[in-house]
Amino acid sequence: MPDLSRFQKAWLICLIGSLICVGLMAARSKMAHPDRNDSMQYISAAHNLSAYGIYSQSLAGKKENINPGIGREPGFPFVMAQIYSLGLGDIEQATMTCLRSQEGCGVQPYKAVQWLNRIFFALAGIAVFWLSLSFFSSLKLATIAGSSVWLNIKMQSSMDQIISDPLALVLVCGFTLLAAKTLVTKSHKKKILLAVTTGFSLSFLILTKAIFMYFFYLSCIILIGYLIALKIDKVQIKKFTLPALVFVITSALLPALWINRNGEISGHYKLTDMREGIALSARNIFHDMTLPEYFTSFVYWIPGSGDSFARRFIPEEHWIRFDLSNPDGFFRKGHGDFSTNVQRLIEEDNVSPEEARQKWTDELKRQILSNPVTHALTTIPLFYRGILRDIFIPLSLPGMIFLIFWAFRNRQMILLAVLSPAFFSLVFYPLVSLNVSRYQITAAPAFAMGLVFFFVMIHEWKKKRKEKRIPA
């Protein structure tokens, strides 16, 4: 076998890792009902886009009965529609009748999308592989980073469900890699070109996960702050301003167009429908946790065996409200309370449903601001719930913590900047939602680099220990 260059070895590792990833995911695929719960909304939107060119979550059956709607983020339905337009699968099999039935529409209509989701996972692993290689210049460490996605069976556990998470994963990993390349390149022209691609990757990420609109706002604040810090360096300001402006414009372009479209058809200029209030209602219900329930949550939310362990060894009154099927539990009551209170406001205040939803959403925000200590304390178990999506979390979490300290200490701000969307995901989701573990798939770059840094720490510790043993 001829000797391979470092670049060729890197791509060979990526190819092997991707094939293993896709193969393992396909071999473990046993999901009989991939179109349950949130999937129904993505499928119906993709159906209408593919069949009629109309974005709507309604499955009325005929084009004349379907009106343009707002609904969920359009990114994933748009990608699905392109798959079906190529003849890869038959979305017509996914009818409202079977979607509403207990059996669902089976697996056949979604096989092409499931394979695409697996490819998204493989590509995300490639992105974090090259991200690690660019910072640590080690094929071994880059392989560890890529494997944290390729071999992460917990992260992949629900990826045959027809949901937007795999697309969000590859977008956030791609954005992270492109941001790194943009920040380190010396060529001004190349920096502007990379700023365009980085901006559009964030733009499409926002259309896939609307929560990243808040990350865009945060990015703008950071860029303005950095520009102010450069006020005495005119040369640096000149080099920085145009790429930053290009990034901001391209990041905002697609969401702005979509918001304008939504405003024209509904009169409400917003990115998605009123899901913010439902998320906050499902989050604020945890303010009511008792102290035993608080500590039980750390057991109950252990993936796989936590709920059965809690049922066996913990009194029922301390775990029963974590049961997703319990009508008085945190999940169902948190969602149900939103609808109940909106209906109450409609009747009591004689306002429209839209006004009632906004009014109760504002009330939920007020509850958070008026109970900051309670909200902060309940964020801890919800943060814990999300990070358990990573099978390597016992290693990647301490690695992430030390990575942050190391970066601040050594002024490696570029590394923190490119990982900022992943850190944003880790913090923001438990603050504003119930943070089910699949939400934290967008934290994958932070998990990967944390795992890499854990092995860097081990290597440095062994090196120092060996040096102490060598006599002077």
Side-chain angles (χ1 to χ4, degrees), residues 171-215:
L171 286 171
V172 78
C173 291
F175 170 82
T176 302
L177 178 61
L178 288 168
K181 298 296 184 183
T182 303
L183 291 170
V184 301
T185 188
K186 301 297 183 183
S187 168
H188 190 62
K189 289 183 179 179
K190 190 175 180 181
K191 189 183 287 289
I192 292 173
L193 180 62
L194 284 167
V196 171
T197 56
T198 305
F200 274 120
S201 65
L202 177 57
S203 195
F204 201 66
L205 176 61
I206 293 169
L207 291 185
T208 304
K209 292 289 184 183
I211 198 169
F212 280 92
M213 178 62 83
Y214 295 100
F215 173 74

Side-chain angles (χ1 to χ4, degrees), residues 128-129 132-133 136-147 448-449 451-456 459:
V128 295
F129 174 94
S132 174
L133 190 62
F136 296 104
S137 301
S138 166
L139 285 176
K140 289 182 180 179
L141 293 177
T143 303
I144 290 172
S147 297
M449 295 300 281
L451 183 63
V452 166
F453 203 75
F454 178 85
F455 286 99
V456 170
H459 174 74

Side-chain angles (χ1 to χ4, degrees), residues 160-341:
D160 275 335
Q161 188 178 353
I162 309 303
I163 49 179
S164 62
D165 296 352
L167 176 59
L169 169 68
V170 74
L171 286 171
V172 78
C173 291
F175 170 82
T176 302
L177 178 61
L178 288 168
K181 298 296 184 183
T182 303
L183 291 170
V184 301
T185 188
K186 301 297 183 183
S187 168
H188 190 62
K189 289 183 179 179
K190 190 175 180 181
K191 189 183 287 289
I192 292 173
L193 180 62
L194 284 167
V196 171
T197 56
T198 305
F200 274 120
S201 65
L202 177 57
S203 195
F204 201 66
L205 176 61
I206 293 169
L207 291 185
T208 304
K209 292 289 184 183
I211 198 169
F212 280 92
M213 178 62 83
Y214 295 100
F215 173 74
F216 168 72
Y217 299 148
L218 179 63
S219 298
C220 291
I221 294 171
I222 293 172
L223 289 173
I224 292 171
Y226 185 72
L227 189 62
I228 293 172
L230 291 174
K231 61 183 178 181
I232 59 173
D233 192 335
K234 293 182 179 179
V235 175
Q236 289 298 320
I237 288 176
K238 188 176 180 180
K239 290 181 179 179
F240 173 80
T241 302
L242 184 56
L245 189 60
V246 166
F247 166 75
V248 169
I249 292 172
T250 51
S251 296
L253 182 60
L254 295 181
L257 291 173
W258 189 252
I259 289 170
N260 183 66
R261 175 261 185 195
N262 291 343
E264 289 180 350
I265 66 172
S266 70
H268 302 287
Y269 289 85
K270 55 187 181 181
L271 190 62
T272 63
D273 60 11
M274 288 294 295
R275 297 190 59 81
E276 180 186 19
I278 296 174
L280 290 176
S281 181
R283 170 62 180 86
N284 286 11
I285 193 73
F286 290 101
H287 288 184
D288 298 332
M289 277 197 292
T290 65
L291 190 60
E293 284 176 332
Y294 186 90
F295 290 108
T296 297
S297 67
F298 291 94
V299 176
Y300 195 92
W301 284 333
I302 296 173
S305 59
D307 56 346
S308 58
F309 187 89
R311 292 168 190 270
R312 184 174 181 180
F313 296 106
I314 298 174
E316 182 177 344
E317 63 266 26
H318 301 327
W319 59 259
I320 190 64
R321 290 210 290 169
F322 293 101
D323 186 347
L324 297 179
S325 62
N326 179 6
D328 295 319
F330 292 116
F331 181 79
R332 289 203 172 186
K333 194 170 187 301
H335 285 78
D337 279 359
F338 183 77
S339 299
T340 300
N341 283 293

Side-chain angles (χ1 to χ4, degrees), residues 93-114:
Q93 296 179 32
T95 64
M96 182 57 75
T97 302
C98 67
L99 282 173
R100 286 177 171 172
S101 69
Q102 189 174 359
E103 296 78 18
C105 301
V107 178
Q108 189 61 36
Y110 317 117
K111 282 189 175 180
V113 179
Q114 289 177 330

Side-chain angles (χ1 to χ4, degrees), residues 15-29:
L15 176 62
I16 294 172
S18 297
L19 291 174
I20 291 173
C21 173
V22 172
L24 288 176
M25 289 180 71
R28 290 196 304 269
S29 178

